[in-house]
Amino acid sequence: MSYLELAGLQKRYGNAVAVDDVSLSVEQGESVALLGPSGCGKTTTLRMLAGLVAPDRGAISLDGGDITRLPPHRRNMGYVFQSYALFPHLTVARNIAFGLEERGVPRQEIARRVDEALALVRLAGLGQRRPKELSGGQQQRVALARALVIRPSVLLLDESLSNLDAKLRDAMRHEIRSIQRSLGITTLFVTHDQVEALTMCDRIAVMHRGRIAQIGNAEDIYDRPATRFVAEFVGRANVLPIQRDAQGRTSVWGQPLPLEAPEDGDLFVRPQRMRIAPVSEPAGESAARLTGRVLRSVFVGDHVEVLVEGGGGQLTVETPSGTTIPMEGAEVAVVWPRAESRVFAREAP
Ligand code: ATP
């Protein structure tokens, strides 16, 4: 049994199922992201873990004990809200001390642990300020310190970086990740931002319509998406309709391309896995190939995006800057390893 186990969790609101049969095992010290679009049930799952929402079905266990019905304060979980939820009238130090005071920790120890927590989030010396006298990033750190000071068994972060500007968010990602690692603290992280999930977590659970569509590490999710939804939600993909003739032979853009495909399917290939080749270059054994015409090339700093058109469709090839970029209008081949082809059935609208 893992340190933290969610088994068959379900939560309904009226007729709507917010979370539908979510099971997840998290090891001690592991950081797991719940990633998915708005409304997929991430926050409800996190709130069930924290004890803020009671599940209709299923169970949660922590370190071998059943905590499904325990009130929030007896679960020893640190929760960082999206809005930080700091008390504006209290100093930073008192905000951080709050959970320890509630637990009746002696005053001297509180003072020592608050100082430790302030140092950990690099806010030493700012304990006497009020939250409004801090920047957004600093307030974020206070919220983190407040969650960590109780030495939680599990740290829960709910979209906690989404109020920060892009640069600060990036810095905080690395900072939280390194604190999480150095403390070895088991963490669940809710986000709709895939970069956040990919950079901050050991594993990612991609959620869709109240369920976990796939769980795995960044490479699993990105290179081996289990469902069409995951392939579309995480990273960019070229989606090319597959045609099948009466004999079951498949083609794309009207060009023969052998694929294992259902009746109505699309081919998914990541733009970075494709490369542009001269039309005269013969296709290798293990390569898939289409030909088309270059519509345009866009320089995006570290790479160039080449838009290729053929057979009424378009695709994008992402190639490193510095490689030879074909002229607009040139006839080219687009080549990729067969193993990089993913096929998913078309979904009913
Ligand atoms: P977001 O990223 O927008 O916060 P989310 O993935 O966290 O989305 P949840 O907040 O878990 O999604 O919500 C899942 C579904 O349950 C949504 O359809 C939402 O409208 C519904 N829901 C959540 N809380 C309640 C509630 N208290 N009452 C009724 N419906 C709710």
Side-chain angles (χ1 to χ4, degrees), residues 2 4 34 41 87 92 97 109 140 161 207 234 258:
S2 298
L4 177 66
L34 299 177
F87 302 113
V92 164
E109 190 184 337
Q140 218 291 327
L161 301 181
M207 290 191 69
V234 182

Side-chain angles (χ1 to χ4, degrees), residues 1 11 15 19 33 35 44 53 84 102 144 169 176 194 197 199 224 236 240 259 262 291 296 309 312 317 340:
M1 198 183 220
K11 180 68 195 175
N15 283 334
V19 172
L35 172 69
T44 305
V53 166
Y84 316 146
E102 258 191 330
L144 184 63
R169 194 155 62 219
I176 292 180
Q194 46 173 297
T199 54
R224 292 172 291 281
R236 293 201 310 158
L240 307 169
L259 290 162
T291 56
R296 62 175 172 275
E309 183 186 51
V317 180
E340 299 289 352

Side-chain angles (χ1 to χ4, degrees), residues 13 17-19 36-45 159 190 192:
Y13 291 106
V17 185
V19 172
S38 184
C40 72
K42 310 178 293 286
T43 300
T44 305
T45 304
E159 301 268 6
V190 160
H192 60 263

Side-chain angles (χ1 to χ4, degrees), residues 269-287:
V269 189
R270 302 277 182 210
Q272 313 89 295
R273 306 296 188 227
M274 297 176 138
R275 72 181 171 86
I276 302 280
V279 194
S280 55
E281 184 183 297
E285 266 293 287
S286 58

Side-chain angles (χ1 to χ4, degrees), residues 111-162:
R112 187 176 53 76
R113 280 169 66 175
V114 167
D115 282 345
E116 266 175 28
L118 280 168
L120 184 68
V121 298
R122 298 197 295 122
L123 288 181
L126 297 188
Q128 293 317 306
R129 295 227 189 142
R130 312 250 164 206
K132 69 170 190 314
E133 296 164 332
L134 299 178
S135 70
Q138 289 171 327
Q139 291 181 35
Q140 218 291 327
R141 284 164 213 239
V142 176
L144 184 63
R146 187 177 58 179
L148 290 171
V149 78
I150 62 162
R151 297 182 184 145
S153 311
V154 179
L155 179 65
L156 306 172
L157 300 161
D158 188 0
E159 301 268 6
S160 351
L161 301 181
S162 54

